Amino acid sequence: MTEPSFTLGLEEEYLLVDRGTRDIVTSPPDEMLEACQEQAPGRIHPEFLRCQIEVGTPVCKTLDEARAELAALRGTVAGVADRYGLAPIAASTHPFAAWEPQKHTNRDRYNMLARDLGAPARRLMICGMHVHVGIEDDDLRIDLMNQVRYFLPHLLALSTSSPFWRGRDMERRSYRLSVWHELPRTGMPAGFQSYGEYQSHVAVLVNAGVIEDASKLWWDIRPSSRFPTLEMRITDICTRLDDAVTVAALYRCLLRMLWRLKLRNVTWRPYKNLLIEENRWRAQRYGLDSGLVDFGQGRIVPYADLLDEIIDLTREDAEHFGCTAEVGRAREILKRGTSAHRQIEIFQAALADGASEDEALRRVVDWLAEETMVGVRDEPSPTGVTA
């Protein structure tokens, strides 16, 4: 069996905030987006809400290349936004902004979404990170999607960055998924026997006029409708660049590990969504803090133990891709906590110092703006985009 290319592509969505008020900017200047697009043609785009902006790397062969591209794109957006008194924050929700004043981008696709989805679409003041991994064989792509579903809650737990919504601690590390779940065709996909079966199910919805194409399937993971990739979509956006790279490295290594098992006619034991979604909920609710269910043992296992198991399972693959250090950095995330942990700590520390709740939330925004730029260097990317 020919080994897939396992190329990488990363997409990130940022919220744009006013540096003075720290609030979301409802209508950023059109010139800002145009300037970003001039500096990085084809890689920076508007999102559904005008307060958002999306970036996407080109196809990358190595993790170092993907990191450099993502760093350059973060730097480009931040540099242009600063001219207008704005800053991007890599967080899946804003700590206190209200969704009601937000406006969607005036494009045919977004106008259609707003009409079809109604109020839930207007609440989509949320951002995520999508990781594409190149798997050229259609049936293999479906097979690996079926198997890697098991590990998606583990990746979500490492990425959480959305504990607040409208000024309240929602007691969830990833409140983004709660907002996202109001939309149809979200969550964990069912298993499919083949790419043909997957296509036949999509065709039912297309022929019924419910969706135009498979891009309207907003699952936690899906075969991309544009590229020969398996697109992981469950994770929050990581505030720190290096955390995003670690999550992408782990996902890529897990896919190669499962491909290696397939060479020996071995597959990861399939589990029903009833079980996988329980871990999805635990990762959404508790993040790294309260463990996930080991279905084989039938008990909750500390996340640290599960992470050690994943790192061991993918050791050969991390060595193959030259990303042992990046995969190992997941233990650092576990030790210091994700963005969600840090946001809550900063908020509580500010309150303890005598700040009002409003001031404490603004301090969280300040931290997010600064943390978004950690590891972003003023140097050109491999393909010429300047940070």
Side-chain angles (χ1 to χ4, degrees):
M1 181 190 302
T2 302
E3 181 168 356
S5 66
F6 292 115
T7 53
L8 268 176
L10 278 70
E11 299 170 343
E12 289 190 325
E13 300 156 350
Y14 312 128
L15 293 166
L16 295 168
V17 300
D18 184 287
R19 286 192 172 275
T21 66
R22 281 78 158 186
D23 201 354
I24 287 285
V25 179
T26 303
S27 297
D30 291 337
E31 313 90 77
M32 193 204 79
L33 176 62
E34 293 167 2
C36 286
Q37 292 176 324
E38 286 176 6
Q39 291 196 33
R43 297 182 200 168
I44 300 179
H45 310 280
E47 248 298 332
F48 175 71
L49 293 180
R50 294 196 63 194
C51 63
Q52 299 168 300
I53 193 166
E54 180 185 40
V55 304
T57 72
V59 177
C60 300
K61 294 182 179 179
T62 69
L63 192 65
D64 285 345
E65 182 184 352
R67 186 193 186 284
E69 293 285 358
L70 198 59
L73 289 167
R74 284 195 181 201
T76 296
V77 172
V80 173
D82 187 58
R83 302 175 199 167
Y84 300 90
L86 309 180
I89 59 171
S92 284
T93 56
H94 186 277
F96 64 83
W99 60 267
E100 290 90 345
Q102 306 309 320
K103 302 175 181 178
H104 75 266
T105 302
N106 184 22
R107 292 194 172 187
D108 288 345
R109 174 180 171 84
Y110 296 141
N111 292 337
M112 185 181 301
L113 283 176
R115 183 183 69 247
D116 290 349
L117 299 176
R122 297 195 296 274
R123 277 169 44 87
L124 288 180
M125 194 175 59
I126 55 175
C127 296
M129 174 180 74
H130 305 163
V131 182
H132 291 259
V133 172
I135 300 168
E136 289 72 21
D137 183 89
D138 291 339
D139 285 322
L140 178 62
R141 203 177 311 132
I142 293 295
D143 186 17
L144 295 186
M145 180 178 79
N146 292 339
Q147 295 183 64
V148 82
R149 290 180 305 160
Y150 173 87
F151 296 100
L152 297 186
H154 303 68
L155 298 177
L156 170 63
L158 279 173
S159 72
T160 56
S161 67
S162 50
F164 292 105
W165 184 253
R166 301 190 65 171
R168 295 181 58 190
D169 181 349
M170 301 305 291
E171 299 183 340
R172 300 184 187 187
R173 296 297 190 235
S174 175
Y175 188 68
R176 160 184 156 266
L177 285 188
S178 297
V179 178
W180 188 241
H181 231 358
E182 291 189 349
L183 272 60
R185 302 180 297 279
T186 59
M188 200 67 62
F192 294 95
Q193 294 298 313
S194 65
Y195 187 72
E197 184 189 23
Y198 162 75
Q199 284 187 309
S200 68
H201 279 71
V202 172
V204 172
L205 298 180
V206 172
N207 293 337
V210 176
I211 59 175
E212 294 80 33
D213 53 49
S215 69
K216 295 292 180 64
L217 302 176
W218 297 306
W219 296 332
D220 294 339
I221 188 170
R222 68 183 182 184
S224 171
S225 62
R226 296 183 296 159
F227 312 112
T229 63
L230 190 54
E231 180 187 2
M232 188 270 292
R233 302 165 51 85
I234 193 173
T235 52
D236 277 7
I237 183 171
C238 296
T239 305
R240 184 177 285 236
L241 175 67
D242 283 341
D243 292 0
V245 173
T246 287
V247 170
L250 274 170
Y251 174 57
R252 187 191 198 193
C253 287
L254 283 166
L255 289 175
R256 188 174 185 275
M257 180 272 292
L258 294 171
W259 173 77
R260 284 192 295 108
L261 290 181
K262 187 176 179 66
L263 292 181
R264 308 201 313 261
N265 292 320
V266 177
T267 61
W268 196 260
R269 181 178 175 181
Y271 292 99
K272 298 294 186 182
N273 280 354
L274 170 68
L275 299 181
I276 298 174
E277 288 177 353
E278 189 64 29
N279 272 346
R280 183 184 190 270
W281 159 248
R282 292 188 65 81
Q284 178 186 355
R285 171 68 178 88
Y286 304 111
L288 306 167
D289 300 338
S290 295
L292 301 177
V293 181
D294 184 305
F295 305 138
Q297 299 182 51
R299 65 182 181 90
I300 296 173
V301 174
Y303 188 86
D305 296 346
L306 297 171
L307 181 60
D308 285 343
E309 181 182 12
I310 289 174
I311 290 175
D312 186 57
L313 283 169
T314 59
R315 192 174 309 279
E316 177 180 329
D317 310 287
E319 291 173 356
H320 173 81
F321 291 126
C323 63
T324 301
E326 288 81 2
V327 168
R329 196 175 290 128
R331 292 192 176 104
E332 295 180 20
I333 300 176
L334 179 63
K335 183 177 180 179
R336 64 171 152 79
T338 64
S339 172
H341 292 90
R342 294 291 292 122
Q343 290 180 55
I344 293 168
E345 289 168 6
I346 290 164
F347 177 73
Q348 292 176 342
L351 293 180
D353 286 343
S356 67
E357 288 195 358
D358 288 347
E359 175 57 31
L361 290 165
R362 286 195 290 271
R363 291 188 193 180
V364 175
V365 176
D366 287 341
W367 177 82
L368 287 169
E370 294 173 4
E371 191 77 353
T372 296
M373 300 309 294
V374 170
V376 176
R377 297 171 295 179
D378 270 332
E379 63 180 35
S381 74
T383 49
V385 178
T386 55

